[in-house]
Amino acid sequence: PETRTPFYAMKLVEGQPFNKVLDLLEHGGPEARESYGREALLDVFRSVCQAVAYAHSKGVIHRDIKPDNVMVGKFGEVQLMDWGLAKYIGSEDDGEETGSVRTVDPFSAELTQDGIIKGSPAYMAPEQALAEENIDLRADIYSLGITVYEVLTGEKPFPGNTPQMIFNLMISKTYTPLSNLRPDIPDAIAEVIDKM
């Protein structure tokens, strides 16, 4: 008899992670800067924001937005990757209150549970670093703010590699406003990013 082996098929996403693009801009030659000027970088970021807005409209938060999880294709296509930490928090469409996290059955097949720190410390919101249960859409907005800050300045506003270290930097008010590092960025844009 013929044996059947289960398999899993996925779309092949070609391109390079956005963090590699940023690294190339920092260490590459003038041709890299010519290919990825500020407008092109902001176009990539805008596409990421659109993906996040769509997920939020469906009641899903990503919880791990960072340049490493963004793929940039050869022809400018952008994919927000690694939805392994995504969490459904309810949406207006299904009658659940937006922003409220459903109770998770500890024996369910869901990949993430409340009370466990999940994500990338340099990009996670304070409430995520503290493993709070009521993480909502604002955690993704915070991660988007960290990401665009890095895109425009080449550095993270709160460097560090552990949630506690980053949380300590955040509460000690060591944030350098974007306009201090990049006075060429229009004030209106810098204010939005600082607020994020």
Side-chain angles (χ1 to χ4, degrees):
E2 184 180 321
T3 60
R4 296 176 186 228
T5 304
F7 66 93
Y8 184 73
M10 298 176 52
K11 176 183 176 180
L12 174 63
V13 179
E14 296 185 279
Q16 58 183 337
F18 197 32
N19 64 311
K20 300 289 186 206
V21 171
L22 298 175
D23 191 48
L24 184 64
L25 287 172
E26 187 176 337
H27 304 312
E31 59 279 345
R33 285 182 214 93
E34 193 174 296
S35 298
Y36 283 101
R38 184 169 69 189
E39 289 301 317
L41 294 174
L42 290 175
D43 282 344
V44 171
F45 180 73
R46 189 175 305 116
S47 294
V48 173
C49 289
Q50 288 171 341
V52 172
Y54 178 77
H56 287 182
S57 77
K58 299 300 181 187
V60 175
I61 54 175
H62 188 281
R63 300 198 303 178
D64 199 18
I65 299 168
K66 58 185 178 178
D68 306 44
N69 286 340
V70 175
M71 289 291 285
V72 181
K74 191 177 191 178
F75 302 103
E77 61 275 30
V78 177
Q79 297 268 343
L80 180 57
M81 310 294 288
D82 196 357
W83 291 81
L85 295 181
K87 185 160 196 84
Y88 177 75
I89 60 168
S91 71
E92 294 170 3
D93 295 344
D94 60 16
E96 290 191 40
E97 182 182 331
T98 303
S100 63
V101 178
R102 291 182 301 162
T103 303
V104 176
D105 174 1
F107 300 105
S108 76
E110 290 195 28
L111 294 175
T112 58
Q113 296 181 14
D114 297 325
I116 300 169
I117 297 173
K118 300 253 184 186
S120 302
Y123 299 90
M124 66 175 59
E127 63 273 21
Q128 193 173 352
L130 293 172
E132 291 182 7
E133 292 183 20
N134 295 328
I135 294 172
D136 60 23
L137 309 175
R138 292 173 292 182
D140 280 352
I141 302 300
Y142 181 91
S143 297
L144 287 168
I146 298 290
T147 298
V148 72
Y149 187 100
E150 182 180 6
V151 165
L152 293 173
T153 66
E155 55 190 73
K156 296 173 191 69
F158 303 109
N161 57 10
T162 67
Q164 188 60 47
M165 179 187 296
I166 296 192
F167 185 72
N168 289 341
L169 286 169
M170 285 186 268
I171 61 173
S172 69
K173 310 273 191 230
T174 61
Y175 178 76
T176 303
L178 183 62
S179 57
N180 290 8
L181 293 174
R182 291 291 305 271
D184 60 314
I185 303 289
D187 289 343
I189 293 173
E191 286 175 24
V192 169
I193 293 168
D194 289 340
K195 187 173 181 179
M196 291 170 75

